[in-house]
Amino acid sequence: MKDYVILTDSGCDLPEDLVEDLDVNYIGLVCLFKGSEYIEDCGQSLSYKNFYKGIREGEQPTTGQVNSYRFVQEFEKHVEANKAIVYISFSSALSGTYSSSLVARNEVLEKYPDADITVFDSKAASGGHGLLVYLAAKKRQDGATKEELVTWLEENYLKLNSYFFVEDLNHLRRGGRISSTSAIVGGLLNIKPVLHVNEEGKLINIAKAKGRKKAIKYLLDSLERKIVNSENQTIIITHADCLEDAEGLAASLKESIKVKEVIINYIGCAIGSHTGADAMTVFFLGDDRNP
């Protein structure tokens, strides 16, 4: 049985210490911020605090996918070490990174026909993508073969539930997610849109909460309604520099249900460029992805 590595990209929004502990290989997306290009590295080169401070002061960062050349380099490194690869990607509906990885896979297979490279589309983003990576890495630690791991991903990725809201609708407007009129009206009425990632990996608007507190409550209510086997579950909460609110949500859900653990981390620069500051998310497994 050939040894294998798990590879992911920075769209997973997992903390650096966890990525290292799980022995997950990580490739950063690109963020252009204040005239400089950064390759995401868990907030080391560009701190999350400085990134969101800039957004609050009016900066409008842009993002770029991982190009196929960088994937070729990463794939070849492991193939030459005689290791199989399972790459778990950011949703193909939200980024071209998945497509780049497929181009690279084909190129590497031309050079190394016996290479064993599986590219898996998480159809998820941020901590939802990260939760699949986390659980996959735990299964590898427990002795799962590559084939068993891929089967588990195929059977469970559509059970992933993703709920989040944003503070400033203008970031969604810039990304083409909502109209300019909706952004203006929503801002005046203090509306916080609650979004969900569907089975195609696309963002869909499922509710409009009047104010931040009600938006946070919607996340909690959705989790309580949809989660299964909570006592055995890891829940991931990511936030756009609003740690106090994220910790408050974690405390509330621990009061209402018994859970195995809750991981809290920042929304990274690639996704934060589109959500803006003060967005918040919650991710967990249910019976299906229906909101």
Side-chain angles (χ1 to χ4, degrees):
M1 181 182 68
K2 184 181 289 188
D3 189 18
Y4 67 98
V5 298
I6 295 175
L7 172 66
T8 192
D9 56 72
S10 62
C12 69
D13 288 344
L14 287 174
E16 182 180 29
D17 59 347
L18 198 56
V19 170
E20 292 177 354
D21 289 345
L22 295 171
D23 193 23
V24 169
N25 292 265
Y26 174 101
I27 187 166
L29 279 70
V30 177
C31 179
L32 186 64
F33 181 74
K34 292 187 176 181
S36 297
E37 184 178 275
Y38 296 90
I39 294 178
E40 279 201 288
D41 54 4
C42 297
Q44 300 305 302
S45 300
L46 173 59
S47 76
Y48 298 129
K49 282 288 185 183
N50 287 338
F51 175 73
Y52 286 112
K53 181 176 182 290
I55 286 180
R56 290 187 176 105
E57 293 172 349
E59 289 292 329
Q60 297 185 355
T62 57
T63 60
Q65 65 194 47
V66 181
N67 61 39
S68 60
Y69 175 72
R70 289 177 60 204
F71 273 117
V72 168
Q73 289 183 307
E74 185 69 23
F75 288 165
E76 286 188 342
K77 177 176 69 177
H78 301 299
V79 170
E80 289 170 358
N82 197 35
K83 292 186 177 182
I85 300 165
V86 178
Y87 166 54
I88 305 172
S89 85
F90 189 6
S91 173
S92 62
L94 301 173
S95 169
T97 298
Y98 173 75
S99 295
S100 292
S101 72
L102 292 179
V103 171
R105 178 182 181 274
N106 291 336
E107 185 174 334
V108 172
L109 286 174
E110 288 181 5
K111 185 176 180 181
Y112 301 95
D114 295 329
D116 185 352
I117 305 171
T118 297
V119 174
F120 188 86
D121 184 356
S122 72
K123 303 286 188 183
S126 190
H129 172 195
L131 183 56
L132 289 177
V133 173
Y134 174 83
L135 295 175
K138 286 291 188 182
K139 289 198 168 293
R140 182 182 60 176
Q141 288 180 344
D142 290 340
T145 65
K146 183 201 173 213
E147 292 72 21
E148 290 170 340
L149 181 64
V150 172
T151 297
W152 180 88
L153 286 168
E154 291 171 343
E155 292 175 348
N156 287 276
Y157 81 105
L158 289 181
K159 296 178 182 178
L160 177 68
N161 279 246
S162 308
Y163 292 88
F164 72 99
F165 70 88
V166 299
E167 179 70 18
D168 185 349
L169 293 166
N170 284 303
H171 294 283
L172 291 178
R173 175 191 58 79
R174 283 199 301 119
R177 303 299 179 188
I178 62 173
S179 68
S180 296
T181 301
S182 295
I184 293 170
V185 173
L188 291 172
L189 297 176
N190 194 26
I191 296 297
K192 311 301 178 190
V194 181
L195 299 103
H196 180 75
V197 181
N198 68 9
E199 291 188 350
E200 297 177 346
K202 297 178 180 178
L203 299 180
I204 57 172
N205 193 336
I206 56 172
K208 295 178 180 178
K210 183 68 181 296
R212 189 171 181 85
K213 288 184 179 180
K214 289 186 178 179
I216 293 173
K217 187 176 186 304
Y218 193 100
L219 299 188
L220 178 60
D221 290 346
S222 298
L223 180 143
E224 291 176 337
R225 176 173 54 85
K226 289 281 294 176
I227 196 168
V228 295
N229 301 320
S230 63
E231 65 277 5
N232 295 317
Q233 277 220 40
T234 295
I235 295 168
I236 293 183
I237 296 172
T238 58
H239 65 94
D241 197 31
C242 50
L243 177 60
E244 185 175 342
D245 283 344
E247 290 177 336
L249 175 60
S252 295
L253 69 88
K254 287 176 181 177
E255 288 177 1
S256 62
I257 58 175
K258 183 178 180 181
V259 297
K260 182 179 178 181
E261 64 179 334
V262 179
I263 296 169
I264 300 175
N265 194 41
Y266 279 90
I267 294 172
C269 302
I271 295 174
S273 296
H274 301 285
T275 65
D278 298 310
M280 198 160 71
T281 73
V282 65
F283 305 97
F284 57 92
L285 296 181
D287 285 323
D288 53 45
R289 277 203 189 186
N290 296 325

